[in-house]
Structures are given as C-alpha cells and as structure tokens.
Amino acid sequence: MSKAYNSDAAGFRRASAQASLAEPPILVTGSSFAKGDEVKDDEAWPAYLQDMIGRKVVNAGVSGYAFDQMVLATEQLVPKVKPLFVIASFTPGDIRRTELKVAWSREKPYFALKDGKLDLSNVPVPGRPGAPVRLPAVAEWLGWSALADLLVERLGIQQGWYFTEVQAVPRGTGETIACRLMPRLAALGVPVVVMAQYSRGYWNDKGPHGTADHRAMRRVLGCAAEAGLIAFDLSDTLKAAVDARGTDALYRSDHHSAEGNRVVADLVMRELIDRRLLSKMADR
C-alpha cells in the first residue's frame, strides 16, 4: 500500500503543485503500478513524469483493477479529462483478474464471450461500490501488511487464504478478453499507449523472457498493435536497469520503490519522445 496517498477533488492521485504545467494533460490509467502503491504521492512514476516533461499528468490508477476495469475506466475518463493521449498500464495479474467477478474480495464487472462477442455482466456492481465481501478468517486476523502480502504471494497461497476470488469465465480466457477490448481503446479518439508493467516477482521468476506471464503480455501487446494502439513493453527497456542495479534498488515488497518509479518515468518519457507523442524541446 501507499505510504502516503492523497487524492484531489476529482479523485485522482495528487502530485506536487507547479506554477505552470502544459495542457492538455496526459491521462494515466491502470492498477497499482500506475497508481504507485508503496510510495508517496510524489514518488509515483506519473508524478515523476509530470516533473520531467512539464505537462500535467493525471494519475487515475486504482489498486487492484483488472484489465477490463482499466478499459471501462479509461472510456469514462477520456471525455472528462480530454487528454493529449492516454497511457493505459497493465500487469500480468491484471490480465488474469479479467476472468473474475470477485477480485481482492470485492465484486467487479466482467466480460464474457457469447457467440463470439463480449458481453458485459455484473453491472451495476452488486452492493456498495468497493465494499469487500467476507474475508477469509486468516486475512481478517492478519489484516493487510506488505510483509503478509509478500509472504502469501511467495508461498502461492493468496486465493482462499488472504483474499477471496470468484471465477466468472474459464481460466486462461483473460488474454482473449483483453485482446477483444483493444478496439474499445482504439475508438476513444485520442492516441493510447498500452504499456506493460511488471512486479518484483516477475524478474525473480528465473528470467522474464519465455515465462507464461511474458507470453501472455506479448500476446496482449500484439493485439494492441493490431488495433492501431501504441504497444510498449516496459520489460524491454527496464531489463538493463534490473540487471545493473538489482530488484532491491528498484522495488519495495512488490511494487516499484521511489527510485524504481523514477527510472520508469524516464523510460516512459524516452518512449513517448521516440513515438513523437512528446516534443523533446517543447515538453521538457
């Protein structure tokens, strides 16, 4: 969890106020890696990116979101924020949670495939928005802590032990659903960068390339490119920093450290300049 999390009047994560920031803003959507869990407001990578380029960056990341929730949120936010472009961040876990109707012990919307088409279900979400269902007894006893979260993840016993999940569609269909959602992002009328981010555990899993997670991410990024979106796999550029400095320098328990987020922001900025979404001279 964040060491210090504050939101503005619109519900977006705060960053340092600056006298003048270029507009229109960049909109960042996604889950905890976009939001910047485990660090302070000004240590999330969207906050660092804003400082680096001098353009407003709206951090609309929400911890625990699945890929489908990220897409739905992006569709709702683009007309309100009117961004220059969107950075839609996702992780391997976000793809898997797309298959669920209950994730992190909370009800969520989900898509099912019916007659080859996506069908949105569980909307409106039952109960009070964001209200958790009954947690497993051990989770209620432990409460949340970074140490407990890391322990159950390393042991592979999260489901049914530390939180509740309810499968909505067959296991393994998250990639297909994520791919089918790409045209919705392409229809937003603004450029969308679909960016793959990775946890500490990903790098510790005997090397990222060739793993099931990496194959899933590559497939989803391929679908993004096919839909006319800008696909950016952060592992391609972050690997050099991980190899040189190690995961301890770039991560906390699972999410990026402040220094890791600074590195991510720099890599994102370079990618945006290379893709000509930002002008090197005008936006820095």
Side-chain angles (χ1 to χ4, degrees), residues 146-186:
L147 179 59
D149 195 45
L150 179 61
L151 175 63
V152 296
E153 179 181 348
R154 294 291 173 84
L155 294 176
I157 57 174
Q158 301 102 314
Q159 162 61 3
W161 176 273
Y162 196 62
F163 56 81
T164 298
E165 290 183 347
V166 177
Q167 199 78 19
V169 298
R171 297 182 188 279
T173 58
E175 296 171 39
T176 299
I177 293 171
C179 283
R180 295 291 185 91
L181 287 169
M182 294 301 178
R184 296 178 66 138
L185 292 176

mmCIF file of all heavy atoms in Angstrom, residues 146-186:
data_model
loop_
_atom_site.group_PDB
_atom_site.id
_atom_site.type_symbol
_atom_site.label_atom_id
_atom_site.label_comp_id
_atom_site.label_asym_id
_atom_site.label_seq_id
_atom_site.Cartn_x
_atom_site.Cartn_y
_atom_site.Cartn_z
ATOM 1 N N ALA A 146 2.442 -5.199 4.084
ATOM 2 C CA ALA A 146 3.300 -5.545 2.959
ATOM 3 C C ALA A 146 3.967 -6.898 3.191
ATOM 4 O O ALA A 146 4.118 -7.701 2.279
ATOM 5 C CB ALA A 146 4.352 -4.454 2.753
ATOM 6 N N LEU A 147 4.349 -7.176 4.454
ATOM 7 C CA LEU A 147 5.014 -8.435 4.768
ATOM 8 C C LEU A 147 4.076 -9.613 4.559
ATOM 9 O O LEU A 147 4.450 -10.620 3.944
ATOM 10 C CB LEU A 147 5.510 -8.420 6.218
ATOM 11 C CG LEU A 147 6.206 -9.704 6.698
ATOM 12 C CD1 LEU A 147 7.421 -10.000 5.824
ATOM 13 C CD2 LEU A 147 6.600 -9.579 8.155
ATOM 14 N N ALA A 148 2.836 -9.494 5.058
ATOM 15 C CA ALA A 148 1.872 -10.581 4.886
ATOM 16 C C ALA A 148 1.554 -10.780 3.415
ATOM 17 O O ALA A 148 1.447 -11.911 2.929
ATOM 18 C CB ALA A 148 0.601 -10.278 5.680
ATOM 19 N N ASP A 149 1.413 -9.679 2.680
ATOM 20 C CA ASP A 149 1.113 -9.757 1.255
ATOM 21 C C ASP A 149 2.231 -10.464 0.507
ATOM 22 O O ASP A 149 1.990 -11.320 -0.352
ATOM 23 C CB ASP A 149 0.917 -8.341 0.717
ATOM 24 C CG ASP A 149 0.252 -8.327 -0.640
ATOM 25 O OD1 ASP A 149 -0.732 -9.060 -0.822
ATOM 26 O OD2 ASP A 149 0.703 -7.565 -1.506
ATOM 27 N N LEU A 150 3.476 -10.120 0.833
ATOM 28 C CA LEU A 150 4.615 -10.746 0.184
ATOM 29 C C LEU A 150 4.700 -12.221 0.543
ATOM 30 O O LEU A 150 4.967 -13.076 -0.312
ATOM 31 C CB LEU A 150 5.901 -10.020 0.602
ATOM 32 C CG LEU A 150 7.209 -10.568 0.025
ATOM 33 C CD1 LEU A 150 7.199 -10.476 -1.491
ATOM 34 C CD2 LEU A 150 8.398 -9.816 0.591
ATOM 35 N N LEU A 151 4.439 -12.553 1.815
ATOM 36 C CA LEU A 151 4.535 -13.937 2.269
ATOM 37 C C LEU A 151 3.564 -14.843 1.523
ATOM 38 O O LEU A 151 3.958 -15.887 0.998
ATOM 39 C CB LEU A 151 4.256 -14.001 3.773
ATOM 40 C CG LEU A 151 4.199 -15.416 4.386
ATOM 41 C CD1 LEU A 151 5.548 -16.108 4.242
ATOM 42 C CD2 LEU A 151 3.775 -15.339 5.846
ATOM 43 N N VAL A 152 2.297 -14.437 1.458
ATOM 44 C CA VAL A 152 1.327 -15.306 0.806
ATOM 45 C C VAL A 152 1.576 -15.395 -0.693
ATOM 46 O O VAL A 152 1.317 -16.427 -1.317
ATOM 47 C CB VAL A 152 -0.122 -14.857 1.096
ATOM 48 C CG1 VAL A 152 -0.442 -14.982 2.569
ATOM 49 C CG2 VAL A 152 -0.379 -13.436 0.619
ATOM 50 N N GLU A 153 2.125 -14.312 -1.287
ATOM 51 C CA GLU A 153 2.433 -14.373 -2.715
ATOM 52 C C GLU A 153 3.579 -15.345 -2.976
ATOM 53 O O GLU A 153 3.522 -16.164 -3.896
ATOM 54 C CB GLU A 153 2.804 -12.997 -3.250
ATOM 55 C CG GLU A 153 3.148 -13.044 -4.735
ATOM 56 C CD GLU A 153 3.539 -11.690 -5.280
ATOM 57 O OE1 GLU A 153 3.325 -10.693 -4.592
ATOM 58 O OE2 GLU A 153 4.067 -11.660 -6.405
ATOM 59 N N ARG A 154 4.639 -15.260 -2.168
ATOM 60 C CA ARG A 154 5.791 -16.151 -2.362
ATOM 61 C C ARG A 154 5.397 -17.611 -2.150
ATOM 62 O O ARG A 154 5.921 -18.507 -2.808
ATOM 63 C CB ARG A 154 6.905 -15.757 -1.392
ATOM 64 C CG ARG A 154 7.504 -14.389 -1.669
ATOM 65 C CD ARG A 154 8.313 -14.387 -2.961
ATOM 66 N NE ARG A 154 8.753 -13.053 -3.328
ATOM 67 C CZ ARG A 154 9.831 -12.470 -2.852
ATOM 68 N NH1 ARG A 154 10.592 -13.095 -1.979
ATOM 69 N NH2 ARG A 154 10.164 -11.263 -3.255
ATOM 70 N N LEU A 155 4.450 -17.839 -1.232
ATOM 71 C CA LEU A 155 4.000 -19.207 -0.977
ATOM 72 C C LEU A 155 2.942 -19.662 -1.976
ATOM 73 O O LEU A 155 2.596 -20.837 -2.022
ATOM 74 C CB LEU A 155 3.448 -19.330 0.448
ATOM 75 C CG LEU A 155 4.463 -19.146 1.585
ATOM 76 C CD1 LEU A 155 3.754 -19.196 2.927
ATOM 77 C CD2 LEU A 155 5.557 -20.211 1.516
ATOM 78 N N GLY A 156 2.418 -18.726 -2.754
ATOM 79 C CA GLY A 156 1.399 -19.063 -3.732
ATOM 80 C C GLY A 156 0.072 -19.448 -3.116
ATOM 81 O O GLY A 156 -0.659 -20.283 -3.662
ATOM 82 N N ILE A 157 -0.274 -18.845 -1.974
ATOM 83 C CA ILE A 157 -1.489 -19.256 -1.264
ATOM 84 C C ILE A 157 -2.445 -18.083 -1.075
ATOM 85 O O ILE A 157 -3.271 -18.087 -0.170
ATOM 86 C CB ILE A 157 -1.149 -19.862 0.113
ATOM 87 C CG1 ILE A 157 -0.333 -18.861 0.952
ATOM 88 C CG2 ILE A 157 -0.403 -21.172 -0.025
ATOM 89 C CD1 ILE A 157 -0.073 -19.325 2.385
ATOM 90 N N GLN A 158 -2.370 -17.081 -1.974
ATOM 91 C CA GLN A 158 -3.224 -15.913 -1.800
ATOM 92 C C GLN A 158 -4.702 -16.288 -1.828
ATOM 93 O O GLN A 158 -5.475 -15.903 -0.972
ATOM 94 C CB GLN A 158 -2.957 -14.884 -2.913
ATOM 95 C CG GLN A 158 -1.525 -14.402 -2.959
ATOM 96 C CD GLN A 158 -0.768 -15.084 -4.062
ATOM 97 O OE1 GLN A 158 -0.836 -16.290 -4.231
ATOM 98 N NE2 GLN A 158 -0.029 -14.306 -4.821
ATOM 99 N N GLN A 159 -5.109 -17.017 -2.899
ATOM 100 C CA GLN A 159 -6.511 -17.316 -3.093
ATOM 101 C C GLN A 159 -7.037 -18.226 -1.977
ATOM 102 O O GLN A 159 -6.498 -19.293 -1.714
ATOM 103 C CB GLN A 159 -6.710 -17.987 -4.465
ATOM 104 C CG GLN A 159 -8.006 -18.737 -4.656
ATOM 105 C CD GLN A 159 -9.238 -17.849 -4.530
ATOM 106 O OE1 GLN A 159 -9.144 -16.650 -4.359
ATOM 107 N NE2 GLN A 159 -10.394 -18.451 -4.583
ATOM 108 N N GLY A 160 -8.110 -17.773 -1.319
ATOM 109 C CA GLY A 160 -8.734 -18.547 -0.261
ATOM 110 C C GLY A 160 -8.039 -18.426 1.075
ATOM 111 O O GLY A 160 -8.546 -18.914 2.082
ATOM 112 N N TRP A 161 -6.888 -17.782 1.103
ATOM 113 C CA TRP A 161 -6.125 -17.655 2.345
ATOM 114 C C TRP A 161 -6.099 -16.189 2.791
ATOM 115 O O TRP A 161 -6.448 -15.863 3.910
ATOM 116 C CB TRP A 161 -4.699 -18.164 2.124
ATOM 117 C CG TRP A 161 -3.777 -18.011 3.302
ATOM 118 C CD1 TRP A 161 -3.025 -16.930 3.628
ATOM 119 C CD2 TRP A 161 -3.506 -18.973 4.309
ATOM 120 N NE1 TRP A 161 -2.294 -17.160 4.763
ATOM 121 C CE2 TRP A 161 -2.569 -18.422 5.209
ATOM 122 C CE3 TRP A 161 -3.958 -20.281 4.537
ATOM 123 C CZ2 TRP A 161 -2.080 -19.102 6.303
ATOM 124 C CZ3 TRP A 161 -3.468 -20.970 5.629
ATOM 125 C CH2 TRP A 161 -2.541 -20.385 6.514
ATOM 126 N N TYR A 162 -5.707 -15.324 1.856
ATOM 127 C CA TYR A 162 -5.566 -13.918 2.201
ATOM 128 C C TYR A 162 -6.660 -13.053 1.593
ATOM 129 O O TYR A 162 -6.920 -11.964 2.044
ATOM 130 C CB TYR A 162 -4.196 -13.427 1.759
ATOM 131 C CG TYR A 162 -3.798 -12.120 2.403
ATOM 132 C CD1 TYR A 162 -3.661 -12.023 3.785
ATOM 133 C CD2 TYR A 162 -3.562 -10.993 1.631
ATOM 134 C CE1 TYR A 162 -3.302 -10.827 4.376
ATOM 135 C CE2 TYR A 162 -3.192 -9.792 2.214
ATOM 136 C CZ TYR A 162 -3.066 -9.724 3.591
ATOM 137 O OH TYR A 162 -2.711 -8.537 4.175
ATOM 138 N N PHE A 163 -7.282 -13.543 0.513
ATOM 139 C CA PHE A 163 -8.400 -12.830 -0.090
ATOM 140 C C PHE A 163 -9.260 -13.829 -0.861
ATOM 141 O O PHE A 163 -8.865 -14.974 -1.073
ATOM 142 C CB PHE A 163 -7.926 -11.700 -1.020
ATOM 143 C CG PHE A 163 -7.001 -12.155 -2.118
ATOM 144 C CD1 PHE A 163 -7.500 -12.726 -3.271
ATOM 145 C CD2 PHE A 163 -5.636 -11.995 -1.997
ATOM 146 C CE1 PHE A 163 -6.645 -13.136 -4.289
ATOM 147 C CE2 PHE A 163 -4.766 -12.402 -3.002
ATOM 148 C CZ PHE A 163 -5.285 -12.982 -4.155
ATOM 149 N N THR A 164 -10.429 -13.373 -1.274
ATOM 150 C CA THR A 164 -11.380 -14.222 -1.976
ATOM 151 C C THR A 164 -11.422 -13.848 -3.454
ATOM 152 O O THR A 164 -11.414 -12.672 -3.799
ATOM 153 C CB THR A 164 -12.788 -14.074 -1.378
ATOM 154 O OG1 THR A 164 -12.752 -14.493 -0.016
ATOM 155 C CG2 THR A 164 -13.798 -14.907 -2.141
ATOM 156 N N GLU A 165 -11.454 -14.874 -4.304
ATOM 157 C CA GLU A 165 -11.656 -14.672 -5.731
ATOM 158 C C GLU A 165 -12.789 -15.578 -6.207
ATOM 159 O O GLU A 165 -12.938 -16.694 -5.701
ATOM 160 C CB GLU A 165 -10.394 -15.013 -6.532
ATOM 161 C CG GLU A 165 -9.255 -14.037 -6.344
ATOM 162 C CD GLU A 165 -8.054 -14.371 -7.208
ATOM 163 O OE1 GLU A 165 -8.022 -15.494 -7.771
ATOM 164 O OE2 GLU A 165 -7.150 -13.536 -7.316
ATOM 165 N N VAL A 166 -13.571 -15.088 -7.145
ATOM 166 C CA VAL A 166 -14.635 -15.890 -7.748
ATOM 167 C C VAL A 166 -14.466 -15.825 -9.257
ATOM 168 O O VAL A 166 -14.501 -14.743 -9.854
ATOM 169 C CB VAL A 166 -16.035 -15.387 -7.352
ATOM 170 C CG1 VAL A 166 -17.113 -16.210 -8.075
ATOM 171 C CG2 VAL A 166 -16.226 -15.479 -5.841
ATOM 172 N N GLN A 167 -14.245 -16.981 -9.862
ATOM 173 C CA GLN A 167 -14.046 -17.063 -11.300
ATOM 174 C C GLN A 167 -15.374 -16.826 -12.017
ATOM 175 O O GLN A 167 -16.413 -17.370 -11.638
ATOM 176 C CB GLN A 167 -13.498 -18.449 -11.661
ATOM 177 C CG GLN A 167 -12.826 -18.540 -13.004
ATOM 178 C CD GLN A 167 -11.412 -17.983 -13.007
ATOM 179 O OE1 GLN A 167 -10.788 -17.836 -11.957
ATOM 180 N NE2 GLN A 167 -10.901 -17.680 -14.191
ATOM 181 N N ALA A 168 -15.354 -16.018 -13.074
ATOM 182 C CA ALA A 168 -16.560 -15.741 -13.850
ATOM 183 C C ALA A 168 -16.536 -16.433 -15.202
ATOM 184 O O ALA A 168 -17.575 -16.829 -15.723
ATOM 185 C CB ALA A 168 -16.731 -14.234 -14.048
ATOM 186 N N VAL A 169 -15.357 -16.568 -15.779
ATOM 187 C CA VAL A 169 -15.201 -17.190 -17.096
ATOM 188 C C VAL A 169 -14.083 -18.216 -16.996
ATOM 189 O O VAL A 169 -13.312 -18.206 -16.029
ATOM 190 C CB VAL A 169 -14.886 -16.130 -18.178
ATOM 191 C CG1 VAL A 169 -16.029 -15.133 -18.309
ATOM 192 C CG2 VAL A 169 -13.579 -15.397 -17.870
ATOM 193 N N PRO A 170 -13.965 -19.127 -17.957
ATOM 194 C CA PRO A 170 -12.937 -20.171 -17.866
ATOM 195 C C PRO A 170 -11.530 -19.615 -17.705
ATOM 196 O O PRO A 170 -11.190 -18.576 -18.272
ATOM 197 C CB PRO A 170 -13.088 -20.923 -19.200
ATOM 198 C CG PRO A 170 -14.498 -20.701 -19.598
ATOM 199 C CD PRO A 170 -14.833 -19.314 -19.138
ATOM 200 N N ARG A 171 -10.735 -20.302 -16.912
ATOM 201 C CA ARG A 171 -9.359 -19.889 -16.707
ATOM 202 C C ARG A 171 -8.602 -19.878 -18.039
ATOM 203 O O ARG A 171 -8.780 -20.757 -18.876
ATOM 204 C CB ARG A 171 -8.654 -20.832 -15.723
ATOM 205 C CG ARG A 171 -9.270 -20.808 -14.329
ATOM 206 C CD ARG A 171 -8.508 -21.718 -13.373
ATOM 207 N NE ARG A 171 -9.207 -21.831 -12.100
ATOM 208 C CZ ARG A 171 -9.143 -20.933 -11.124
ATOM 209 N NH1 ARG A 171 -8.379 -19.867 -11.300
ATOM 210 N NH2 ARG A 171 -9.807 -21.099 -10.002
ATOM 211 N N GLY A 172 -7.768 -18.867 -18.187
ATOM 212 C CA GLY A 172 -6.978 -18.763 -19.406
ATOM 213 C C GLY A 172 -7.609 -17.913 -20.489
ATOM 214 O O GLY A 172 -6.983 -17.679 -21.528
ATOM 215 N N THR A 173 -8.847 -17.434 -20.255
ATOM 216 C CA THR A 173 -9.504 -16.613 -21.276
ATOM 217 C C THR A 173 -9.241 -15.126 -21.089
ATOM 218 O O THR A 173 -9.696 -14.309 -21.891
ATOM 219 C CB THR A 173 -11.027 -16.855 -21.284
ATOM 220 O OG1 THR A 173 -11.556 -16.551 -19.985
ATOM 221 C CG2 THR A 173 -11.354 -18.289 -21.641
ATOM 222 N N GLY A 174 -8.516 -14.753 -20.046
ATOM 223 C CA GLY A 174 -8.246 -13.337 -19.804
ATOM 224 C C GLY A 174 -7.521 -12.673 -20.962
ATOM 225 O O GLY A 174 -7.816 -11.524 -21.311
ATOM 226 N N GLU A 175 -6.575 -13.388 -21.573
ATOM 227 C CA GLU A 175 -5.846 -12.823 -22.704
ATOM 228 C C GLU A 175 -6.784 -12.527 -23.866
ATOM 229 O O GLU A 175 -6.704 -11.461 -24.497
ATOM 230 C CB GLU A 175 -4.765 -13.795 -23.176
ATOM 231 C CG GLU A 175 -3.680 -14.078 -22.166
ATOM 232 C CD GLU A 175 -2.786 -15.212 -22.629
ATOM 233 O OE1 GLU A 175 -2.484 -15.272 -23.840
ATOM 234 O OE2 GLU A 175 -2.393 -16.048 -21.791
ATOM 235 N N THR A 176 -7.677 -13.481 -24.158
ATOM 236 C CA THR A 176 -8.606 -13.307 -25.268
ATOM 237 C C THR A 176 -9.532 -12.119 -25.024
ATOM 238 O O THR A 176 -9.784 -11.313 -25.925
ATOM 239 C CB THR A 176 -9.441 -14.585 -25.466
ATOM 240 O OG1 THR A 176 -8.567 -15.676 -25.761
ATOM 241 C CG2 THR A 176 -10.432 -14.417 -26.604
ATOM 242 N N ILE A 177 -10.022 -12.001 -23.796
ATOM 243 C CA ILE A 177 -10.913 -10.882 -23.467
ATOM 244 C C ILE A 177 -10.164 -9.562 -23.576
ATOM 245 O O ILE A 177 -10.677 -8.581 -24.130
ATOM 246 C CB ILE A 177 -11.520 -11.077 -22.072
ATOM 247 C CG1 ILE A 177 -12.466 -12.286 -22.077
ATOM 248 C CG2 ILE A 177 -12.266 -9.819 -21.632
ATOM 249 C CD1 ILE A 177 -12.943 -12.703 -20.707
ATOM 250 N N ALA A 178 -8.932 -9.518 -23.045
ATOM 251 C CA ALA A 178 -8.129 -8.302 -23.150
ATOM 252 C C ALA A 178 -7.924 -7.909 -24.609
ATOM 253 O O ALA A 178 -8.018 -6.726 -24.970
ATOM 254 C CB ALA A 178 -6.790 -8.489 -22.450
ATOM 255 N N CYS A 179 -7.661 -8.901 -25.454
ATOM 256 C CA CYS A 179 -7.467 -8.627 -26.880
ATOM 257 C C CYS A 179 -8.742 -8.085 -27.517
ATOM 258 O O CYS A 179 -8.705 -7.150 -28.330
ATOM 259 C CB CYS A 179 -7.017 -9.896 -27.603
ATOM 260 S SG CYS A 179 -5.268 -10.302 -27.350
ATOM 261 N N ARG A 180 -9.886 -8.644 -27.144
ATOM 262 C CA ARG A 180 -11.163 -8.193 -27.699
ATOM 263 C C ARG A 180 -11.523 -6.778 -27.234
ATOM 264 O O ARG A 180 -12.345 -6.118 -27.864
ATOM 265 C CB ARG A 180 -12.273 -9.163 -27.300
ATOM 266 C CG ARG A 180 -12.146 -10.564 -27.868
ATOM 267 C CD ARG A 180 -12.367 -10.597 -29.369
ATOM 268 N NE ARG A 180 -12.358 -11.949 -29.884
ATOM 269 C CZ ARG A 180 -13.438 -12.710 -30.008
ATOM 270 N NH1 ARG A 180 -14.623 -12.224 -29.640
ATOM 271 N NH2 ARG A 180 -13.351 -13.938 -30.487
ATOM 272 N N LEU A 181 -10.927 -6.334 -26.139
ATOM 273 C CA LEU A 181 -11.214 -4.998 -25.620
ATOM 274 C C LEU A 181 -10.391 -3.904 -26.297
ATOM 275 O O LEU A 181 -10.708 -2.718 -26.166
ATOM 276 C CB LEU A 181 -10.958 -4.955 -24.114
ATOM 277 C CG LEU A 181 -11.986 -5.682 -23.237
ATOM 278 C CD1 LEU A 181 -11.485 -5.795 -21.804
ATOM 279 C CD2 LEU A 181 -13.329 -4.959 -23.270
ATOM 280 N N MET A 182 -9.363 -4.287 -27.046
ATOM 281 C CA MET A 182 -8.492 -3.285 -27.661
ATOM 282 C C MET A 182 -9.228 -2.334 -28.602
ATOM 283 O O MET A 182 -8.945 -1.119 -28.599
ATOM 284 C CB MET A 182 -7.331 -3.959 -28.396
ATOM 285 C CG MET A 182 -6.358 -4.686 -27.488
ATOM 286 S SD MET A 182 -5.607 -3.580 -26.251
ATOM 287 C CE MET A 182 -4.592 -4.768 -25.364
ATOM 288 N N PRO A 183 -10.179 -2.804 -29.424
ATOM 289 C CA PRO A 183 -10.891 -1.860 -30.293
ATOM 290 C C PRO A 183 -11.632 -0.769 -29.526
ATOM 291 O O PRO A 183 -11.829 0.336 -30.050
ATOM 292 C CB PRO A 183 -11.862 -2.755 -31.072
ATOM 293 C CG PRO A 183 -11.192 -4.097 -31.097
ATOM 294 C CD PRO A 183 -10.525 -4.205 -29.753
ATOM 295 N N ARG A 184 -12.030 -1.047 -28.283
ATOM 296 C CA ARG A 184 -12.704 -0.020 -27.483
ATOM 297 C C ARG A 184 -11.740 1.104 -27.126
ATOM 298 O O ARG A 184 -12.118 2.273 -27.119
ATOM 299 C CB ARG A 184 -13.316 -0.657 -26.233
ATOM 300 C CG ARG A 184 -14.394 -1.663 -26.548
ATOM 301 C CD ARG A 184 -14.970 -2.333 -25.327
ATOM 302 N NE ARG A 184 -15.710 -1.424 -24.459
ATOM 303 C CZ ARG A 184 -16.867 -1.721 -23.885
ATOM 304 N NH1 ARG A 184 -17.459 -2.901 -24.128
ATOM 305 N NH2 ARG A 184 -17.464 -0.867 -23.085
ATOM 306 N N LEU A 185 -10.485 0.751 -26.825
ATOM 307 C CA LEU A 185 -9.475 1.778 -26.570
ATOM 308 C C LEU A 185 -9.146 2.535 -27.856
ATOM 309 O O LEU A 185 -8.927 3.746 -27.837
ATOM 310 C CB LEU A 185 -8.211 1.146 -25.996
ATOM 311 C CG LEU A 185 -8.314 0.551 -24.588
ATOM 312 C CD1 LEU A 185 -6.990 -0.118 -24.206
ATOM 313 C CD2 LEU A 185 -8.690 1.608 -23.552
ATOM 314 N N ALA A 186 -9.139 1.820 -28.979
ATOM 315 C CA ALA A 186 -8.820 2.451 -30.259
ATOM 316 C C ALA A 186 -9.910 3.416 -30.703
ATOM 317 O O ALA A 186 -9.654 4.310 -31.526
ATOM 318 C CB ALA A 186 -8.595 1.384 -31.318
#
